[in-house]
Amino acid sequence: MSSAAAAAVATSVEPMTAAPMTAPIQAHIEQTIEDLLASLPDAAQLSPEQRRGILARYTAVLEGNFIYWMTGAYLAVGTDAARDKIIDNLREEVRDSHPHMLRRFAIAAGAMPTDGDAQDIYRHLTDVRLFIGRLQPVPIVVTMAFFEGFIQRFMPYLADLATRQGSTELEYTDVHGVCDVTHTQELFRALEAEMALARPTPVDELFEGVGLLRTLLHNIVFNVN
Ligand SMILES: [Fe+2]
């Protein structure tokens, strides 16, 4: 992050004021999402194999890891506000079998992950897994807020890739592309509660997971390690 953004975060710890202390964190997350979206290659210019690769790498990362990472967040947090928010998300993931929904999306687009796809995301996926395993409450909640925000904004692009591959199975992207303002507000209120409970978190720790996840998402799109 820029030094200006770091300064904004560093000076933001001022509870009980009109502006929540999570505001600069939310701004940094939104900017990171905007930058990632702006970097996406034009789907029309990609080859069928390039489109398949993005869909397959995305599936290889999300299908078996999203619930695991949310579970890590659940284990890490210490407040009811955060636990309630995360458990709602987990319940929906399991009840509606989002991994199965994603698998159907990938199959219909002819993009089931191969051994090669798994190998292509191995290194950066491992970095995120090990970060989650450290169970640091505030950095994990920041990371999941970034991830959820990104996924929602990424869905039209993912649906476009699948459609160009001849698929009409878009339940996964329809379900995850809904902009839920209340959900986002609740997520940042949960973060606020966690920050009030935790010791002040240095900026580099605060955004470590966001940086690792951003690298993994870049890896999914561009297949560079
Ligand atoms: Fe989901």
Side-chain angles (χ1 to χ4, degrees), residues 62 66-67 89 92-93 98-99 101 151 172 175-176:
L62 271 285
F66 187 78
I67 290 174
N89 199 321
E92 186 180 343
E93 289 285 323
H98 286 196
M101 203 184 281
I151 286 172
Y172 178 84
V175 164
H176 292 86

Side-chain angles (χ1 to χ4, degrees), residues 1-2 4-6 8-9 12 20-35 142 145-146 153 184 188 191 207 210:
M1 78 188 292
S2 70
V9 172
S12 71
M21 59 184 164
T22 54
I25 296 174
Q26 190 166 1
H28 177 65
I29 286 174
E30 281 169 11
Q31 188 59 54
T32 307
I33 292 171
E34 289 292 338
D35 292 348
V142 169
F146 163 65
R153 303 277 305 279
T184 305
F188 280 96
L191 176 61
F207 294 111
V210 173

